[in-house]
């Protein structure tokens, strides 16, 4: 029988993926400044900018009742430069915009339980996308797998989602300023309306000769097709106001990208963990835990996934081949992310401003070697925990209401960065990094 070499082919993406993208707090401040400028512009121009926002904000103001409209009219007569006008209209416009499709620009501000940042919502949809891809790729032992195409542009998906959910007059319309389970389900529906996965299997019979019985070649071809926001105007039968709102949102691509790449906003549950950190915790340990929490729910698991990028790595979420050996997913295509040791490396690299890599280029075993073994009773937030044989690694995040340890780790089973109990972790180590920092600070 002729031996066949398993090959993988994938079409390159249409856009560049620089590895040195730096997302800092300055960028986040710029986002907030831009949002405030948009509101301020609306106020200072007597509401003209609000009208430019597709009429959605104006409609929301009208919905507040004649009393508000009358009050606005009275204040307008006092002169557009009046301070009271600025304050009053700002409050109204904030409420109106939050209730409109533009409310998505404020979606990372909530700390309510069950509400997650946009980046975490995107990761949940990518998880489902990955499941469908993996099911196709592991259904049989193929001789080759070819994947072409990419899913829909996430910026366009978010814009279409915001307009469809918050910009309609339907009874089930909802704001998009809070990404809870209901909104995420709606986001998934829009994503799948804009992304199609098709596949075909090519079967080639190779006849043998003599003692060779021949063999059958099976090749899998997966095609991913994406629809654009322009196409969705027709698919969703958007009205004039919705189309105008969509076009306005797409002009805010930079702000939407900031939402996707925001590593500073955390979910309500993770915010509670951070609030409960011990007051006497060292700055280095607190920085490690806060940095670890910044990726909870946001980055999918990817075997062999590493990143030494400050802030968000633009490769995360992109469809890539798993090339590292040793996993059932090796050779398949998944949204790029981090593995367990890659997550820990990213955390220490980021909290140190890019000056320290705890694994020094290795995996969990190497990370363990840069720790001192301690007892579970001595565990502190920021310590590392390991599975038997260093097959998995996580970071101690704190304790729950019952005093049990909480572990932050990038788990293959959850396909994301999660916070769990210590079940499965067999040993704990204290990174030598902390003692080294104490020595430097003396």
């Amino acid at each position: 029988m002729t031996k066949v070499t398993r090959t993988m082919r994938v079409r390159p993406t249409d856009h560049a993926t620089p590895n040195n993208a730096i997302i800092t707090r300055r960028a986040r401040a710029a986002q907030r400044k831009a949002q405030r400028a948009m509101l301020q512009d609306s106020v200072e121009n007597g509401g003209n900018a609000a009208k430019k926002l597709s009429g959605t904000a104006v409609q929301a103001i009208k919905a507040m009742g004649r009393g508000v409209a009358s009050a606005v009219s009275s204040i307008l007569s006092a002169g557009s430069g009046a301070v009271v006008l600025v304050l009053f209209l700002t409050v109204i416009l904030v409420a109106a915009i939050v209730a409109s499709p533009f409310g998505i620009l404020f979606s990372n501000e909530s700390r309510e339980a069950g509400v997650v940042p946009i980046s975490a919502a995107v990761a949940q949809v990518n998880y489902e996308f990955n499941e469908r891809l993996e099911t196709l790729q592991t259904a049989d032992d193929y001789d080759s797998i070819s994947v072409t195409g990419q899913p829909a542009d996430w910026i366009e998906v978010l814009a279409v989602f915001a307009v469809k959910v918050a910009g309609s007059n339907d009874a089930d319309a909802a704001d998009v300023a809070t990404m809870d389970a209901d909104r995420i389900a709606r986001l998934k529906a829009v994503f799948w309306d804009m992304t199609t996965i098709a596949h075909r299997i090519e079967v080639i019979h190779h006849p043998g000769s003599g003692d060779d019985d021949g063999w059958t070649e099976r090749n899998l071809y997966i095609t991913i097709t994406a629809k654009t926001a322009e196409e969705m105007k027709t698919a969703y039968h958007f009205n004039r106001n919705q189309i105008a709102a969509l076009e306005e949102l797409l002009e805010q691509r930079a702000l939407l990208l900031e939402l996707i790449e925001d590593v500073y906003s955390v979910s309500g549950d993770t915010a509670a963990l951070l609030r409960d950190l011990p007051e006497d915790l060292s700055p280095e340990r607190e920085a490690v835990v806060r940095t670890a929490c910044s990726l909870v729910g946001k980055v999918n698991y990817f075997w062999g996934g590493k990143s030494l990028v400050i802030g968000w790595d633009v490769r995360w979420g992109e469809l890539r081949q798993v090339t590292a050996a040793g996993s059932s997913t090796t050779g398949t295509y998944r949204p790029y992310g981090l593995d367990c040791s890659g997550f820990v490396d990213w955390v220490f690299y980021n909290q140190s401003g890019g000056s320290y890599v705890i694994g020094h280029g290795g995996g969990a075993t190497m990370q363990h070697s840069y720790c001192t073994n301690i007892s579970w009773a001595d565990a502190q937030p920021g310590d590392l925990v390991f599975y038997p044989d260093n097959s998995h690694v996580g970071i101690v995040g704190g304790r729950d209401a019952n005093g049990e340890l909480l572990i932050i780790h990038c788990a293959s089973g959850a396909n994301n960065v999660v916070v769990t109990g210590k079940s499965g972790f067999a040993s704990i180590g204290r990174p030598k990094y902390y003692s080294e920092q104490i020595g430097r600070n003396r």
Side-chain angles (χ1 to χ4, degrees), residues 327-347:
S327 169
S328 61
T329 64
T330 301
T332 63
Y333 294 88
R334 304 162 63 96
Y336 192 68
L338 295 169
D339 61 16
C340 62
S341 61
F343 166 67
V344 173
D345 272 347
W346 182 90
V347 167

Side-chain angles (χ1 to χ4, degrees), residues 124-256:
Q124 288 189 36
V125 182
N126 280 338
Y127 176 86
E128 188 171 291
F129 174 77
N130 170 71
E131 278 192 317
R132 296 193 188 186
L133 272 184
E134 189 168 0
T135 297
L136 289 175
Q137 295 174 89
T138 58
D140 201 348
D141 185 17
Y142 296 106
D143 295 289
S144 71
I145 298 177
S146 175
V147 180
T148 58
Q150 288 282 343
D153 179 354
W154 263 111
I155 290 177
E156 298 199 5
V157 171
L158 291 179
V160 172
F161 156 76
V163 172
K164 183 177 187 296
V165 173
S168 72
N169 295 320
D170 297 339
D172 63 345
D175 73 81
V176 289
T178 53
M179 294 304 297
D180 57 10
D182 173 65
R183 273 71 164 188
I184 294 173
R186 300 189 193 202
L187 179 63
K188 287 181 180 179
V190 171
F191 174 84
W192 287 115
D193 284 344
M194 296 180 69
T195 302
T196 303
I197 301 177
H199 75 283
R200 67 181 179 87
I201 300 172
E202 178 186 50
V203 179
I204 303 174
H205 298 287
H206 297 271
S209 61
D211 295 333
D212 186 353
D213 295 330
W215 58 285
T216 299
E217 180 181 355
R218 294 175 62 82
N219 303 316
L220 174 65
Y221 297 90
I222 298 176
T223 302
I224 303 169
T225 305
K227 288 184 178 179
T228 65
E230 184 67 27
E231 293 174 295
M232 297 311 293
K233 293 178 184 178
T234 302
Y236 282 154
H237 306 289
F238 281 167
N239 59 36
R240 183 176 59 186
N241 284 338
Q242 286 177 304
I243 291 174
L246 179 62
E247 292 172 351
E248 284 289 325
L249 269 177
L250 290 175
E251 289 181 5
Q252 305 297 330
R253 293 185 69 91
L255 292 182
L256 291 172

Side-chain angles (χ1 to χ4, degrees), residues 10 48-49 51 80 162 178 190 242 274 284 328 330-331 338 372 379 405:
V10 65
N48 289 334
K51 294 178 182 178
S80 61
T178 53
V190 171
Q242 286 177 304
L274 293 173
E284 292 80 14
S328 61
T330 301
L338 295 169
T372 300
L405 287 179

Side-chain angles (χ1 to χ4, degrees), residues 379-402:
Q380 293 184 46
D383 288 332
L384 300 189
V385 290
F386 302 87
Y387 270 22
D389 299 322
N390 298 317
S391 60
H392 188 55
V393 59
I395 300 172
V396 175
R399 296 183 182 274
D400 62 18
N402 298 318

